[in-house]
Amino acid sequence: MVIGLEGRWGSGKTSLLNFLTAELEKVQSKNIHTIKIAPWLDGDASSLVMSLLAPISLALQAEQDKVSRLNGESNAIHTDAIDVSKMVLAYGQKTARRFAPLARFAGYVVPGGQLLGDMMDAGADALEQFVDKGVTTTELKKSIIEKLQQVDIGFVVILDDLDRLEPSQAVEVVRLVRSVADFPKVVYLMCYDRTVLANALKTGLNVEDGDLFLQKIVQLTFAIPLPEPFDLRQQFLKGASELYQEVNNQPADGDLLDDLKSAVDFEGMNLSMPREVKLALNAIRFVYRGIVADVYFPDLCRLHLIKIANYKLYQWLEEYLSTRSVLVTGDGVIYKETKSDMGKRLQEILPSEEVGSLRSIWHLKKYIPGVSRVSEPEKCVFGEVSMRDTNTSIQQRRLGSPLHYRFYFALTGPKTVIPEAKFRELLNLAKDNPETLITRLNEYAVKTKASGKTWFEHILNRLDKDAISRLELDTLVGLVHGFSDTMDTVLAADTGPRAFDVSVEQRAIWIVENCLDEIGQKAGHQKLELAKWMARDGRALNWLIGRFFRNQMFTHGRVGDRPSSSDEWVFTNDELDQLVQILKERLAKTGTQDLIASLPDLPSYLFGWMNIAGNDDAKAWAESNSKTDHEFLKLLRRMRGWMISDKVYYPLSQSTVSPFLDWDASVERLQAMLGGEFDAQARDLQQAIQLSRD
């Protein structure tokens, strides 16, 4: 009899065989022998035949010796008969498709403890006796069948992993079972994926229907039953919960347990076999302990379930989150072609429009930011996400966090962001050690990333209004101190034009304003005192005068013609009056004016000086520092702006120069320098004037 145990890869066939073997060992009589063969490992046709017939021969020989001893007969073989065990060996040699070198089997031990090489030698000797007598294979097989029917012995032969065989090997196994070793008292139990083995037979035998051919071999089939609904999900949830407690020394509970159940309940619908549960849990167990501080456990489980059941989606998620991280951190832009390509692929992977479907973008939207179910491919990816939601994902270390996503795939953080631990360290320094914070910020201001932007910019990106609202009072005060003392270093380092991005100095203004607003809510009186310190002692003189406090003048309508609503003011009119007075006193000091020549952004400082204290002092300084031609040219070069068309240009605008120097006189002075010592510099500035749109 040939019994087929059928099931997909990973459905539990081998596990069931192991249970079955254990039961056979408990209940079988001494005359029933179990032989397990793995054709996938044996591979060679000769060794496959002998790996079956050699143990049969050994069992028969042992049985004959036992009978001989009981009957008191001699163990010697009679000259007129060959015992059945040697018949089987000879038959094995004769029916193997080819003879492998005996040296190949020198160390191959068959069940019973004998070397296969020795068995092959014995089989060869026996074969010679039959060849000499002219016995055919058919006659030899008939004799074996007759002998087997006479002895009280039986065999259960287990053939596992048949669905892993190459077509030629699959054909050899079928040949062995159907023709070579279809002996009485031998039951075969074959384990395979029916579809895979049928296809292998179709190819190897060149038949139309491999499944139909397989039906001719197998008399009884038993299919591995499907797991009961929710069994696999419950098994995974149990294993994941145990792992979480093992690593964290506390049970998964509260919101985390709810999220874990939700992830397993939904993504676990794709689980179809016990092996998938084991693979997913093994993968999580392998990585989780090393990244426990950088991932959200339910998301890690969710991702590995996706990896097992929908690998294309797993690959897409890695690519999308990596690309989106560059967008969020400001290190690059994403063009329409990229959006369209990624959106189209996502629609192919998740084509369903049903909200509750596993194959729907609607579900993906719950934990992956920026995706939505729309018809246009470029619009279903990289959508806008609020900073509040982004910060929440960062705080919870979610899969969608631009700071943490890479830990889920590569076990390390992205290179474009500051690790969370270092960012937290900066906030702790703001609270406890502002001077060290200033040192670190200065370092980050000049340390450039691969994208060309500085690490300081990444810090700015992290400090949005929502993040600032959660900081303690001392931390807020420390951050204001830090920016007020380091922003001139940032201005000196950030010299390139930004045509499509908000400037670093402007983002710093927003952050300090938000910090001051928050300080005002937590401790109202402290806000003005801190602002007075900024005006009086802040070391980033260029940024404070030319950017921050000048911005307050515009906001209040004291400069320009577009004042903001009073609801948007950081300071009241009375508070700003007090700050302006402090600034005027500081600007008037000789020590302050001695620093102007070394400031990184001279035009912004001069305009800030003019807006805060009036034009006279700033104009007097400019005239005093342009008396010589060298000083004059240096001052004009520093007053140049920038513009972009086909490339970056640096024009010299009348509107920038005329508040501080007489424009017509400056143009005539440049003309007079032509042909002299400063001819090249004068011509360059004349070209810059021509570029200006004034």
Side-chain angles (χ1 to χ4, degrees):
M1 175 177 283
V2 181
I3 301 171
L5 182 60
E6 301 177 344
R8 291 173 54 198
W9 285 342
S11 61
K13 298 188 299 296
T14 300
S15 297
L16 182 55
L17 280 184
N18 291 334
F19 288 128
L20 179 59
T21 302
E23 291 300 316
L24 284 172
E25 291 174 354
K26 292 179 184 178
V27 302
Q28 71 183 10
S29 70
K30 294 181 180 179
N31 292 332
I32 301 296
H33 297 262
T34 301
I35 302 171
K36 294 187 71 172
I37 303 175
W40 183 53
L41 297 177
D42 293 345
D44 185 84
S46 295
S47 63
L48 178 61
V49 171
M50 291 306 297
S51 64
L52 171 62
L53 298 184
I56 290 178
S57 175
L58 284 173
L60 290 168
Q61 182 179 343
E63 181 68 16
Q64 186 176 27
D65 291 344
K66 182 183 70 173
V67 172
S68 297
R69 287 194 300 273
L70 290 174
N71 296 335
E73 299 176 359
S74 170
N75 288 331
I77 299 176
H78 301 291
T79 56
D80 60 348
I82 302 295
D83 73 275
V84 66
S85 67
K86 289 192 175 181
M87 287 183 186
V88 172
L89 287 177
Y91 182 70
Q93 288 279 37
K94 198 173 183 68
T95 54
R97 290 291 178 94
R98 59 186 184 278
F99 295 100
L102 294 183
R104 264 190 81 173
F105 308 109
Y108 189 100
V109 180
V110 299
Q114 283 189 256
L115 292 175
L116 185 55
D118 297 337
M119 302 294 291
M120 294 284 283
D121 287 339
D125 293 340
L127 180 60
E128 289 179 7
Q129 299 180 46
F130 284 100
V131 171
D132 291 342
K133 294 184 178 183
V135 178
T136 66
T137 304
T138 302
E139 292 171 336
L140 184 57
K141 181 178 180 181
K142 181 179 179 182
S143 298
I144 293 173
I145 291 173
E146 291 175 354
K147 289 286 185 180
L148 286 175
Q149 289 172 337
Q150 296 172 8
V151 297
D152 183 21
I153 192 170
F155 300 92
V156 176
V157 181
I158 297 175
L159 297 162
D160 197 7
D161 293 329
L162 300 188
D163 43 19
R164 301 187 186 187
L165 298 177
E166 297 175 6
S168 60
Q169 295 173 314
V171 170
E172 191 61 32
V173 170
V174 170
R175 170 181 170 267
L176 175 70
V177 173
R178 185 185 185 193
S179 303
V180 174
D182 54 336
F183 299 133
K185 299 186 179 181
V186 178
V187 174
Y188 290 92
L189 180 57
M190 298 169 54
C191 300
Y192 51 85
D193 181 321
R194 188 183 187 104
T195 302
V196 175
L197 183 57
N199 285 334
L201 292 175
K202 178 180 179 180
T203 302
L205 293 169
N206 194 25
V207 295
E208 235 180 82
D209 191 336
D211 186 72
L212 186 61
F213 188 89
L214 187 60
Q215 291 179 28
K216 297 178 181 179
I217 308 300
V218 183
Q219 286 92 42
L220 174 65
T221 60
F222 181 82
I224 297 291
L226 293 174
E228 292 188 47
F230 301 105
D231 269 5
L232 297 180
R233 277 175 273 182
Q234 290 301 319
Q235 182 184 346
F236 181 91
L237 179 61
K238 180 176 181 293
S241 299
E242 291 173 351
L243 174 59
Y244 181 86
Q245 179 156 4
E246 175 187 329
V247 174
N248 296 280
N249 296 317
Q250 63 182 32
D253 54 17
D255 291 341
L256 185 140
L257 180 58
D258 290 341
D259 286 346
L260 178 59
K261 289 179 178 178
S262 176
V264 174
D265 187 50
F266 198 85
E267 305 300 343
M269 282 194 286
N270 272 322
L271 293 170
S272 59
M273 296 179 293
R275 179 178 293 175
E276 293 174 340
V277 174
K278 185 176 181 180
L279 286 173
L281 287 174
N282 283 347
I284 296 167
R285 180 177 295 278
F286 184 74
V287 303
Y288 180 50
R289 194 179 297 274
I291 56 174
V292 61
D294 301 294
V295 298
Y296 185 56
F297 187 69
D299 278 0
L300 182 67
C301 293
R302 182 193 305 277
L303 184 66
H304 279 279
L305 287 172
I306 291 172
K307 185 177 182 181
I308 290 294
N310 193 345
Y311 191 68
K312 286 185 177 180
L313 178 58
Y314 173 86
Q315 290 177 304
W316 185 91
L317 287 174
E318 182 176 14
E319 182 182 354
Y320 174 75
L321 292 172
S322 178
T323 306
R324 184 178 179 275
S325 175
V326 174
L327 179 67
V328 173
T329 57
D331 289 297
V333 296
I334 302 173
Y335 296 101
K336 184 177 180 180
E337 183 179 356
T338 301
K339 292 181 179 180
S340 180
D341 174 66
M342 294 204 72
K344 183 178 180 181
R345 284 189 282 132
L346 178 60
Q347 290 175 338
E348 292 171 351
I349 296 170
L350 301 176
S352 176
E353 296 186 6
E354 295 183 16
V355 176
S357 171
L358 268 174
R359 303 188 60 184
S360 169
I361 297 175
W362 289 113
H363 174 67
L364 192 68
K365 187 177 181 180
K366 295 179 181 178
Y367 60 94
I368 298 299
V371 298
S372 58
R373 178 69 196 181
V374 293
S375 57
E376 301 92 332
E378 67 274 11
K379 292 183 180 180
C380 72
V381 291
F382 302 110
E384 292 186 7
V385 179
S386 70
M387 285 305 300
R388 177 178 291 273
D389 289 342
T390 299
N391 283 326
T392 299
S393 71
I394 291 173
Q395 291 168 6
Q396 297 179 352
R397 301 164 296 172
R398 299 298 300 264
L399 176 61
S401 163
L403 274 64
H404 299 90
Y405 80 92
R406 190 164 170 77
F407 283 103
Y408 289 84
F409 297 95
L411 313 185
T412 186
K415 295 179 180 179
T416 56
V417 299
I418 292 174
E420 183 70 6
K422 288 191 175 182
F423 181 73
R424 289 291 161 192
E425 180 187 23
L426 287 175
L427 296 181
N428 290 334
L429 289 175
K431 178 181 178 181
D432 302 324
N433 195 340
E435 283 301 319
T436 304
L437 171 68
I438 292 166
T439 301
R440 295 286 174 82
L441 291 178
N442 279 323
E443 292 172 354
Y444 284 129
V446 298
K447 188 177 181 181
T448 306
K449 298 194 286 184
S451 63
K453 296 189 176 183
T454 64
W455 288 100
F456 185 86
E457 293 179 70
H458 172 66
I459 296 171
L460 296 180
N461 290 339
R462 295 292 306 278
L463 291 169
D464 69 297
K465 190 169 185 177
D466 182 60
I468 289 170
S469 68
R470 293 190 295 269
L471 298 178
E472 297 178 8
L473 178 62
D474 290 347
T475 304
L476 294 167
V477 173
L479 286 175
V480 173
H481 273 271
F483 284 110
S484 298
D485 281 349
T486 60
M487 281 307 299
D488 279 7
T489 303
V490 176
L491 290 177
D494 188 55
T495 57
R498 294 172 178 266
F500 308 105
D501 195 9
V502 178
S503 67
V504 176
E505 54 268 26
Q506 181 58 54
R507 279 187 280 170
I509 291 172
W510 292 338
I511 289 172
V512 172
E513 288 180 340
N514 287 332
C515 286
L516 289 170
D517 278 338
E518 197 65 30
I519 291 170
Q521 294 178 34
K522 287 179 165 62
H525 67 283
Q526 199 165 342
K527 180 184 78 170
L528 181 59
E529 293 305 314
L530 183 57
K532 288 180 178 179
W533 171 86
M534 294 170 63
R536 184 178 58 251
D537 299 315
R539 284 178 274 185
L541 183 65
N542 200 155
W543 179 77
L544 288 166
I545 301 298
R547 302 289 182 177
F548 182 80
F549 285 112
R550 187 184 182 216
N551 189 70
Q552 308 312 312
M553 302 290 284
F554 275 96
T555 300
H556 281 250
R558 300 188 184 190
V559 176
D561 56 2
R562 293 185 178 180
S564 300
S565 168
S566 58
D567 294 338
E568 300 176 22
W569 293 356
V570 179
F571 307 106
T572 65
N573 271 319
D574 180 62
E575 289 172 337
L576 186 57
D577 287 339
Q578 296 180 56
L579 295 171
V580 167
Q581 185 57 40
I582 294 172
L583 290 167
K584 286 181 178 180
E585 293 172 2
R586 184 176 184 182
L587 288 165
K589 292 180 179 178
T590 302
T592 301
Q593 297 185 18
D594 290 341
L595 298 173
I596 297 175
S598 62
L599 296 178
D601 185 8
L602 180 61
S604 71
Y605 181 84
L606 291 178
F607 276 99
W609 189 2
M610 179 183 71
N611 295 149
I612 292 170
N615 194 36
D616 292 344
D617 290 342
K619 185 173 183 180
W621 181 90
E623 291 173 347
S624 174
N625 284 270
S626 59
K627 291 180 179 179
T628 68
D629 287 346
H630 174 73
E631 290 175 330
F632 172 70
L633 292 171
K634 182 179 179 180
L635 179 61
L636 290 186
R637 284 198 300 272
R638 296 188 65 188
M639 300 294 285
R640 295 174 71 169
W642 62 267
M643 58 180 286
I644 292 180
S645 57
D646 57 326
K647 64 178 183 178
V648 180
Y649 296 94
Y650 297 91
L652 179 62
S653 171
Q654 179 180 352
S655 59
T656 303
V657 176
S658 58
F660 312 104
L661 295 175
D662 183 275
W663 177 251
D664 293 334
S666 296
V667 171
E668 291 176 2
R669 188 172 179 180
L670 286 174
Q671 183 66 28
M673 291 181 185
L674 299 179
E677 178 184 0
F678 300 106
D679 176 77
Q681 295 96 316
R683 291 184 184 277
D684 181 54
L685 288 170
Q686 283 184 329
Q687 291 177 1
I689 291 172
Q690 292 175 1
L691 289 172
S692 172
R693 295 179 178 178
D694 286 357

